[in-house]
């Protein structure tokens, strides 16, 4: 990634992240990345060879915009196991969850009102801002309500039953749609998984999923289930965006899922990430007692904040100088705020690096916000 | 692709194409597909294993939105060989050429005026229509001028030097940008290839390319070079659309291109497609003398039209009944027209099927437009 320093057209925040990524020995709590140690390289290679061996044309030629039938059936059966009965025909394979959110946003028309949590996924905020959306709070009238009901990002929390009911009520009342971003649903630490909102209100919900968190992001395979009355427009939008999702990834994924190894991987991943979180919580309690958090029930990250007016950018600069990085809290916020917040992703940090990494952040905190440097 | 018949949310034209695709023994002149017989399956498999073996993280993890540095350098050197000197840092890897056109369109702002040829690529028309663009002729004032200067689709023609000059003059005069869709540039039958417009007017040109026609579409790898002053917004738009292009395809492609087999493949492909075109031209001269054409200099298709007011849909229905299909001409037209036009793609039709396929179209023509059925 040596190109980064020469790239002249990224913004200042990105430059900071890129500078960090290039630094040797840096401990990175940034990025929401799954742990590459979990990538099933051998099985994916076998799946690739099977896919190209069995039917190279399907893997390498143009395909239909909605995606591979086998893959859509697989996703339909995963959804059915979670209580949402959806015909495979209604699933559109997308280039990651990001594109699914983008399609739902486009269907809301020009300059839509979109309701978001105070802290939410920055990629969704980028989509909404490029669509010139008016961002409002979840209690307000909106055309779209963007939520992560099973496991939220950045906080790693779930919606309670009461919150779900209230959300449906509000969406119905305002004739709005819910965009259910289920990207992290498969990362719950306990085996229990909530039904998707899609299960109960398919006519009000754009359901968004992905294999990026549970398998690997490089495949760029997500999906969208749009409300029936918008399904045709959603498919048109998918086709206009990039014709179809990656055929090679789809064919490979079908073979991998048929191999039966996915359930075991998810089980291992659950234990793996839970262990990393425990280490992180212990380190934060020890080194960063001045910051608040709620323990997440899933996901890859811990959200830390406090009431003080302090700059996350200044903290990150001091942190990078000490060989550690994290995600800037302000990028997750729908509206500017002066209080400090940061996101620490534990998912891809080596176990042995977690405690020293947090200790470095604590040193950076002391340095950045000592009286001498403040103001 | 048996899912198609059950899919309830595709439009009538698509249904016709899908019905055709399911029919056994059908000879298909539809789709603009490269010949899968040319896909270098073994070499791509080796490239995959090298990519995952050498650096599985790069192939499978999240990457930067602009794409792989190695791949961008490779594309920069291919462009340099064609006379366009561009820094690798300015190239954005996209999910196919389609997404590159989509990004350029989005940067033109809401409801842009876009100039197009009378017949052009339907995928671009879909993008422009979803952006609620006002489509105008190439001689008019516009914010974007969409052209395929090296090899056009559907006609397979090039812009002359005079046409290029006039185009630049018009774009400059109207402070507009040119979207140079170079998707078919690598399919010229002669070894000569025009310099891209990017070479002479990088500040006025969105340059769009792809490996879909020269290698295989399933990889979904294209690229965009945006004018410098719009580069940052183009990258932001790419990131908002789907975060990044497929990491696996990029890593595989880097390995494949480094293997040195690409030049040989292009040479073989050139001879392969030229031979198919010769057969098609002979068959059309024999069976469809009532239709006009200009012999293409590259690309995958032949554009046929006539002055008569006849329905391409009626002809296609009759053709499918006789076991042959093609692309409806009206989908390539920016404005409705009553005269008949069809596109015949020869690229993926078996040599032995070309002449019988055209004969079936001629029979369908006679049947569809006999006095008894006309009116």
């Amino acid at each position: 990634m040596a190109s980064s320093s020469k790239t002249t057209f990224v913004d200042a925040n990105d430059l900071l992240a890129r500078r960090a990524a290039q630094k040797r020995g840096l401990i990175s709590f940034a990025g929401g990345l799954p742990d590459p140690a979990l990538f099933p390289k051998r099985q994916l290679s076998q799946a690739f060879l099977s896919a190209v061996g069995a039917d190279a044309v399907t893997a390498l030629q143009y395909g239909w915009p909605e995606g591979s039938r086998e893959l859509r059936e697989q996703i339909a059966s995963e959804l059915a196991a979670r209580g949402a009965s959806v015909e495979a025909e209604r699933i559109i394979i997308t280039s990651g969850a990001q594109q699914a959110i983008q399609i739902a946003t486009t269907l809301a028309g020009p300059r839509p009102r979109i309701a978001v949590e105070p802290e939410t996924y920055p990629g969704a905020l980028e989509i909404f801002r490029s669509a010139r959306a008016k961002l409002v709070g979840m209690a307000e009238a909106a055309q779209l309500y963007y939520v992560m009901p099973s496991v939220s990002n950045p906080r790693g929390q779930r919606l309670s039953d009461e919150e779900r009911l209230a959300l449906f009520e509000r969406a119905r009342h305002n004739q709005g749609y819910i965009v259910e971003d289920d990207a992290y649903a498969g990362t719950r630490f306990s085996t229990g998984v909530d039904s998707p909102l899609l299960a109960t209100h398919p006519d009000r919900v754009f359901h968004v999923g992905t294999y990026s968190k549970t398998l690997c992001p490089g495949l760029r395979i997500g999906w969208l289930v749009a409300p029936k009355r918008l399904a045709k427009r959603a498919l048109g939008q998918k086709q206009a965006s990039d014709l179809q999702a990656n055929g090679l990834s789809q064919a490979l994924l079908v073979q991998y899922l048929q191999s039966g190894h996915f359930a075991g991987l998810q089980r291992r991943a659950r234990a793996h990430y839970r262990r990393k979180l425990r280490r992180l919580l212990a380190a934060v309690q020890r080194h960063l007692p001045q910051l608040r958090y709620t323990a997440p029930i899933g996901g890859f990250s811990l959200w830390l904040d406090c009431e003080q007016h302090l700059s996350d950018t200044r903290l990150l600069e001091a942190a990078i100088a000490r060989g550690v990085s994290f995600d800037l809290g302000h990028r997750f916020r729908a509206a500017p705020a002066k209080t400090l917040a940061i996101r620490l992703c534990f998912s891809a940090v080596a176990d042995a690096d977690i405690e020293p990494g947090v200790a470095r952040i604590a040193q950076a905190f002391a340095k950045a916000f000592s009286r001498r440097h403040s103001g």
Side-chain angles (χ1 to χ4, degrees), chain A:
Chain A
M1 301 203 184
S3 73
S4 313
S5 59
K6 276 192 170 179
T7 307
T8 52
F9 51 85
V10 295
D11 73 19
N13 286 321
D14 275 342
L15 276 180
L16 212 54
R18 284 162 188 259
R19 215 170 70 211
Q22 286 177 267
K23 195 160 165 163
R24 272 184 187 281
L26 181 119
I27 298 173
S28 172
F29 291 97
L33 311 178
D35 192 344
L38 292 170
F39 295 161
K41 291 190 330 190
R42 219 184 42 231
Q43 289 154 4
L44 291 175
S45 297
Q46 272 161 359
F48 176 91
L49 295 176
S50 304
V52 171
D55 182 1
V57 176
T58 296
L60 301 173
Q61 186 59 284
Y62 285 111
W64 299 116
E66 66 271 22
S68 137
R69 174 167 183 82
E70 289 85 352
L71 183 54
R72 294 154 78 212
E73 282 174 350
Q74 179 67 40
I75 293 166
S77 79
E78 289 175 22
L79 286 171
R82 292 181 52 205
S85 165
V86 180
E87 295 162 326
E89 286 72 27
R90 293 198 45 224
I91 296 169
I92 300 174
I93 307 297
T94 57
S95 303
Q98 183 78 7
Q99 184 180 61
I101 304 169
Q102 157 84 39
I103 292 169
T105 305
T106 304
L107 296 192
R111 302 187 181 237
R113 281 174 71 88
I114 302 182
V116 294
E117 306 275 1
E119 296 96 22
T120 191
Y121 166 53
L125 291 176
E126 273 173 39
I127 293 172
F128 303 153
R129 286 174 183 141
S130 6
R132 302 165 188 229
K134 163 98 177 136
L135 296 179
V136 301
M138 293 300 291
E140 296 189 50
Q143 283 147 281
L144 289 183
Y145 293 83
Y146 173 75
V147 285
M148 307 184 84
S150 284
V151 178
S152 67
N153 177 9
R155 287 183 175 272
Q157 305 301 317
R158 64 186 284 274
L159 290 189
S160 67
D161 292 351
E162 296 71 38
E163 286 168 325
R164 287 173 162 238
L165 272 177
L167 175 62
F168 283 127
E169 217 29 73
R170 223 169 303 129
R172 189 178 0 234
H173 180 75
N174 295 302
Q175 303 191 310
Y177 291 97
I178 296 165
V179 179
E180 170 175 54
D181 181 349
D182 221 18
Y184 282 98
T187 68
R188 279 271 281 267
F189 303 128
S190 69
T191 49
V193 177
D194 290 323
S195 289
L197 302 178
L198 177 69
T200 48
H201 293 72
D203 55 328
R204 283 268 158 238
V205 170
F206 286 95
H207 176 82
V208 173
T210 180
Y211 288 101
S212 291
K213 307 300 178 185
T214 49
L215 185 54
C216 59
L219 296 175
R220 309 305 307 125
I221 297 293
W223 63 87
L224 173 67
V225 186
K228 243 181 200 157
R229 83 198 80 156
L230 296 171
K232 187 173 161 176
R233 286 180 56 210
L235 185 62
Q237 197 55 45
K238 164 61 188 167
Q239 188 164 17
S241 299
D242 62 358
L243 299 184
Q244 55 160 116
N246 191 288
L248 192 56
S249 287
Q250 292 185 76
L252 186 162
L253 194 46
V254 166
Q255 294 291 331
Y256 173 75
L257 295 172
Q258 283 175 357
S259 76
H261 291 109
F262 190 43
L265 172 64
Q266 288 185 288
R267 215 165 34 239
R268 284 198 308 284
R270 217 174 275 134
H272 188 81
Y273 292 129
R274 200 170 40 208
R275 189 185 68 236
K276 288 185 189 292
L277 172 63
R278 265 202 305 266
R279 283 180 177 253
L280 179 61
L281 291 178
V284 165
Q285 284 158 15
R286 180 166 170 203
H287 295 291
L288 289 170
Q290 68 273 46
L291 298 182
R292 300 176 303 197
Y293 67 84
T294 308
I297 62 160
F300 290 172
S301 64
L302 183 69
W303 179 255
L304 294 165
D305 63 7
C306 69
E307 287 295 336
Q308 288 177 274
H309 289 197
L310 299 168
S311 156
D312 56 356
T313 306
R314 174 182 285 199
L315 179 58
L316 181 55
E317 282 165 350
I320 291 172
R322 275 155 196 80
V324 64
S325 75
F326 53 79
D327 290 316
L328 296 167
H330 78 260
R331 308 197 81 181
F332 296 80
R333 285 173 163 164
K338 291 195 165 164
T339 55
L340 179 75
I342 65 176
R343 188 183 78 158
L344 300 190
C345 289
F346 50 83
S347 45
V349 185
D351 287 14
D353 283 346
I354 291 177
E355 202 270 336
V358 174
R360 290 182 196 175
I361 295 174
Q363 289 158 18
F365 194 99
K367 178 77 176 172
F369 306 129
S370 69
R371 201 149 299 178
R372 197 154 51 93
H373 286 80
S374 69

